[in-house]
Amino acid sequence: MLDKSKTILIVGLGLIGGSYARALTDAGYRVTAIDCDPDAIAYALSECMIEDGATNADPALVSSADLIVFALYPHVFLDWIRENQHLLKPGVLLTDVTGVKGKIVEEVQSILRPDAEFIAAHPMAGREVSGVENSTPAIFRGANYIVVPTEKNTQAAIDTCRALGETLGFARVSELSPALHDEIVGFVSQLTHCIAIALMTCNQDEHLEEYTGDSFRDLTRIARINDEMWSELFLWNRDKLIEQIDSFSSELGSIREMLINGDRDALRRLMRRATERRAKFDKK
Amino acid sequence: MLDKSKTILIVGLGLIGGSYARALTDAGYRVTAIDCDPDAIAYALSECMIEDGATNADPALVSSADLIVFALYPHVFLDWIRENQHLLKPGVLLTDVTGVKGKIVEEVQSILRPDAEFIAAHPMAGREVSGVENSTPAIFRGANYIVVPTEKNTQAAIDTCRALGETLGFARVSELSPALHDEIVGFVSQLTHCIAIALMTCNQDEHLEEYTGDSFRDLTRIARINDEMWSELFLWNRDKLIEQIDSFSSELGSIREMLINGDRDALRRLMRRATERRAKFDKK
C-alpha cells in the first residue's frame, strides 16, 4: 500500500478510529488524528497510538495527510467534507468505516474535489463498548473487511484500500457494490440488531437473567447498543432494513404456521437446512 | 443431598446425561447408566464416567438406584415410566432434564407409583453438538438450573433437587411452576432457536460468511440444531411458543413502524431501554 514515509490521518478517534490508529502505528506508519474530544486526543498521544493530534480540522494536520480514514457518524462525515475539503493535499486518498454506503458514498463522491479520491470501506468489527480507551486491533482478527467501490474509483485506490484491510489484520477482504453492501449489511448487521433490541424489550419480566441459557445471552449481546450511532445508520438504510425485517418476519411466520399445523416434518426439514447453512460459518 | 453411599442412575447418556454422569462421578457418587446405544455405555465405562451400565432397563440397575435422572426425549421418557416403573426401588426419587414441563410433569406424576416421587428440573445448558463424547460438566458453570415443583412434591424432594443442581456446578438454582417455566423457556430458549433458524434460512445468499460480523454469527450459533429433539420440544410447548413468537413479532413490528415514520427519538428510547435491560445480564 502506501510507503511508510507517508502519513495516515484518522478523523474520529472512537472505538474503530482508535483501533485503526493502534494497528497502523504498530505496522510502522506515521499516524495522526483529529477528534473534537480533547480527552480522546490526549489519551491517544499518551498511549503512543498517534504522533500528533488536534481537536479541530487543523490545516497543517489535514494537508500533510496522504491517506485519511473517516470514522465518524454519517452526517458528521458529510459535514466535514463540505467544510474542510479545501484543506486536503492534492492526490489524497480518503476512506471511511461507515456502516451504510449507498447515499453517503454517492454524496461524498459528488461533492469531492476532483484531485482527491474517496474509496468506501466497511470493517465488520465492533464491540458492545465504545470510545478510544476500548480500542484494540484484536477486534479485526478473524473479521471481514468490505471494500465498496463505485465506477468513479480507480483500480489503484481499490488496491490501496484492500491493502489497508490486510494491514489492519482482517481475516478476509472482499468487494461489494454500495447497493449490495447495504442490502447485505441490512440483513447481517442491522436486522440482527433490531432482533436483539426487540428480544430485550418485548418481555417485561425483571428476572430474566435468572432463567436464561446461553442462547438468549448470545442473541441479545448486541442489544447493548450505541443509540446515537445505530439510529442514524438504521435511518440512512431504512428501505433496505425494512425489506430485511419483512423477509425475516415472513420466515418466522412460516415456522409459526408449521407449529399451528403440528407439521413436525416441515420443522425438521427447516432445522436441517439451518444447520447445514450455519455449519459453513464454523469452517475456517 | 443424598449421602454418597447411594446410587444415581442416569437414563439417557447423551450430551446432558453424560455431563451429569461425569459431574456426579467427580463429586464422589456411585453413578450407573442406561442407554439404548451400546457405544455410549462402552464409552462412558471406558472414561470411568459410570460404574455400571446397560442398554435396556436392567432390573438390577433400576432397582438399585436411589435417584434416577431422565435425560431422554419427552415421549421416550413417558414410555419408559409406563413400561419400567414396576422395577423402581420404593422411595426412589426421579428427576429429569426435559426442556418442557407442563404436560410432561403432569403426566408422569399422574401415572407414577405412589411410593416414588418425580421432581422436575431443567438445566439451562447445552452445546451445538450432541452425544456422550461431547459431554462435559463445564457447560454447567455460570449456567442456571431451574427446579420445577408441583403441589404433589415434598419439600424434601425439592431440597434434594436443588442440592443436585448445586452439586452439578450450576451458578444459580431457582424455582418456577411448570406453567411459568414453559412460558419463560418458550421465550428465552425456544423463541431464540426459532429466530436463529429463520435468520439462517430467510436469505438465499451462498456467501454470507464472507460478509458477516460477530452479530450475525452470535445470533445464529444455535441454528445448528438437533432437529429431532427441538421439533419435539417445540410441539410439546406449541401454544406458549406461538404466544412468544407473536409478542416478539409485535415488538419487531413497532421497530418497523418507527423506521417508516423516521422516528429517531422513539428508536433511541427503545435502544436505551434494551441497553439498560441487557446490562443486567453482564453483572455477576
Side-chain angles (χ1 to χ4, degrees):
Chain A
M1 51 178 284
L2 290 170
D3 71 68
K4 296 203 175 168
S5 67
K6 307 244 168 148
T7 297
I8 302 175
L9 169 65
I10 313 287
V11 182
L13 211 52
L15 176 72
I16 300 295
S19 301
Y20 271 57
R22 282 191 208 266
L24 294 169
T25 293
D26 289 351
Y29 290 93
R30 181 172 182 271
V31 179
T32 57
I34 291 172
D35 194 285
C36 58
D37 177 6
D39 291 343
I41 296 296
Y43 178 87
L45 286 167
S46 74
E47 290 274 305
C48 303
M49 292 161 57
I50 57 173
E51 209 175 291
D52 200 358
T55 55
N56 54 25
D58 179 85
L61 272 190
V62 175
S63 64
S64 65
D66 303 289
L67 171 66
I68 306 183
V69 178
F70 291 89
L72 298 171
Y73 292 175
H75 76 280
V76 183
F77 175 28
L78 287 168
D79 288 347
W80 198 99
I81 296 291
R82 282 190 202 96
E83 289 163 25
N84 302 299
Q85 63 166 323
H86 63 281
L87 301 173
L88 297 172
K89 178 193 282 197
V92 67
L93 185 64
L94 314 179
T95 187
D96 72 336
V97 307
T98 318
V100 288
K101 295 301 181 197
K103 293 174 196 158
I104 293 156
V105 177
E106 194 183 323
E107 178 77 5
V108 173
Q109 289 188 338
S110 76
I111 62 177
L112 193 64
R113 275 167 40 185
D115 62 346
E117 179 168 355
F118 170 56
I119 172 78
H122 186 180
M124 301 288 287
R127 295 181 73 180
E128 311 88 281
V129 288
S130 56
V132 67
E133 65 281 4
N134 289 306
S135 66
T136 163
I139 60 177
F140 305 146
R141 282 198 279 275
N144 290 320
Y145 182 87
I146 309 177
V147 179
V148 189
T150 71
E151 72 287 353
K152 295 197 175 172
N153 283 115
T154 60
Q155 190 59 46
I158 296 170
D159 292 344
T160 302
C161 194
R162 295 189 70 108
L164 176 64
E166 283 154 19
T167 301
L168 289 165
F170 282 87
R172 181 153 34 188
V173 174
S174 54
E175 279 177 44
L176 288 174
S177 69
L180 197 53
H181 168 276
D182 287 358
E183 184 185 318
I184 290 180
V185 163
F187 176 56
V188 299
S189 171
Q190 297 189 326
L191 171 64
T192 50
H193 281 79
C194 289
I195 288 171
I197 293 164
L199 266 176
M200 210 62 246
T201 57
C202 74
N203 187 301
Q204 304 313 314
D205 192 313
E206 292 296 330
H207 301 277
L208 283 178
E209 69 274 20
E210 294 171 33
Y211 311 119
T212 46
D214 288 338
S215 324
F216 190 81
R217 278 188 286 260
D218 276 7
L219 268 80
T220 56
R221 180 184 62 84
I222 55 173
R224 294 187 77 160
I225 189 168
N226 176 335
D227 60 289
E228 188 179 357
M229 180 174 81
W230 283 94
S231 60
E232 184 171 346
L233 293 176
F234 280 7
L235 290 173
W236 276 98
N237 202 33
R238 173 162 66 168
D239 295 346
K240 291 210 159 77
L241 176 53
I242 288 172
E243 276 171 29
Q244 295 299 338
I245 290 176
D246 290 345
S247 151
F248 168 79
S249 296
S250 153
E251 190 78 1
L252 191 60
S254 311
I255 296 178
R256 188 184 188 282
E257 276 303 300
M258 293 172 193
L259 290 169
I260 287 191
N261 299 331
D263 189 346
R264 191 167 174 203
D265 286 345
L267 281 170
R268 292 189 65 175
R269 273 196 303 276
L270 194 70
M271 287 175 180
R272 285 197 295 269
R273 189 143 65 87
T275 299
E276 197 179 290
R277 282 178 64 84
R278 184 58 178 74
K280 283 199 210 168
F281 288 70
D282 295 329
K283 276 188 257 156
K284 271 277 150 88
Chain B
M1 52 177 285
L2 291 169
D3 72 67
K4 297 203 174 168
S5 67
K6 307 245 167 151
T7 296
I8 302 175
L9 169 65
I10 313 287
V11 182
L13 211 52
L15 176 72
I16 300 295
S19 301
Y20 270 57
R22 282 191 208 266
L24 294 169
T25 293
D26 289 351
Y29 290 92
R30 181 171 182 270
V31 179
T32 59
I34 292 172
D35 194 285
C36 59
D37 176 6
D39 291 343
I41 296 295
Y43 178 87
L45 286 168
S46 75
E47 290 274 305
C48 302
M49 293 161 56
I50 57 173
E51 208 175 292
D52 200 359
T55 55
N56 55 25
D58 179 83
L61 272 191
V62 175
S63 64
S64 64
D66 303 290
L67 172 66
I68 307 183
V69 178
F70 290 89
L72 299 171
Y73 293 175
H75 76 279
V76 182
F77 176 28
L78 286 168
D79 288 348
W80 197 99
I81 296 291
R82 283 191 201 95
E83 289 162 25
N84 301 299
Q85 64 166 323
H86 63 281
L87 301 172
L88 297 172
K89 178 194 280 196
V92 67
L93 185 64
L94 314 180
T95 187
D96 72 335
V97 305
T98 318
V100 288
K101 295 301 182 196
K103 293 174 194 157
I104 293 157
V105 177
E106 194 184 322
E107 178 78 5
V108 172
Q109 289 188 337
S110 76
I111 62 178
L112 193 64
R113 274 167 40 185
D115 61 346
E117 179 167 354
F118 171 56
I119 172 79
H122 186 181
M124 301 288 288
R127 296 181 73 181
E128 311 88 281
V129 288
S130 57
V132 65
E133 65 281 3
N134 289 306
S135 66
T136 163
I139 60 176
F140 305 147
R141 281 198 280 274
N144 289 320
Y145 181 87
I146 309 177
V147 179
V148 189
T150 71
E151 72 287 353
K152 294 197 176 172
N153 283 117
T154 60
Q155 190 58 46
I158 296 169
D159 293 344
T160 302
C161 193
R162 294 189 72 108
L164 175 64
E166 282 155 19
T167 301
L168 289 165
F170 281 88
R172 180 153 34 188
V173 174
S174 54
E175 280 177 42
L176 287 174
S177 69
L180 198 53
H181 169 276
D182 286 358
E183 184 184 319
I184 290 180
V185 163
F187 176 57
V188 298
S189 172
Q190 297 189 326
L191 171 63
T192 50
H193 281 79
C194 289
I195 289 171
I197 294 164
L199 266 176
M200 211 60 247
T201 57
C202 75
N203 187 301
Q204 305 313 315
D205 192 312
E206 293 296 329
H207 301 278
L208 283 180
E209 69 274 18
E210 293 171 33
Y211 312 118
T212 47
D214 288 338
S215 324
F216 190 81
R217 277 188 287 261
D218 275 7
L219 267 80
T220 55
R221 181 185 60 85
I222 56 174
R224 294 187 77 160
I225 190 168
N226 176 335
D227 60 290
E228 187 179 359
M229 181 174 80
W230 283 93
S231 61
E232 184 172 346
L233 292 176
F234 280 7
L235 290 173
W236 276 97
N237 202 34
R238 172 162 67 168
D239 295 345
K240 291 211 158 78
L241 176 52
I242 288 171
E243 277 170 31
Q244 295 299 338
I245 290 176
D246 290 345
S247 150
F248 167 79
S249 296
S250 152
E251 190 76 3
L252 191 59
S254 310
I255 295 177
R256 187 184 189 282
E257 277 302 301
M258 293 171 193
L259 290 169
I260 287 189
N261 299 332
D263 189 346
R264 191 167 174 202
D265 286 344
L267 281 171
R268 292 189 65 175
R269 273 195 305 274
L270 194 71
M271 287 176 179
R272 284 197 296 270
R273 189 143 65 86
T275 300
E276 198 178 290
R277 284 178 63 84
R278 184 59 177 75
K280 283 199 210 167
F281 288 71
D282 295 329
K283 277 189 257 158
K284 271 278 151 86

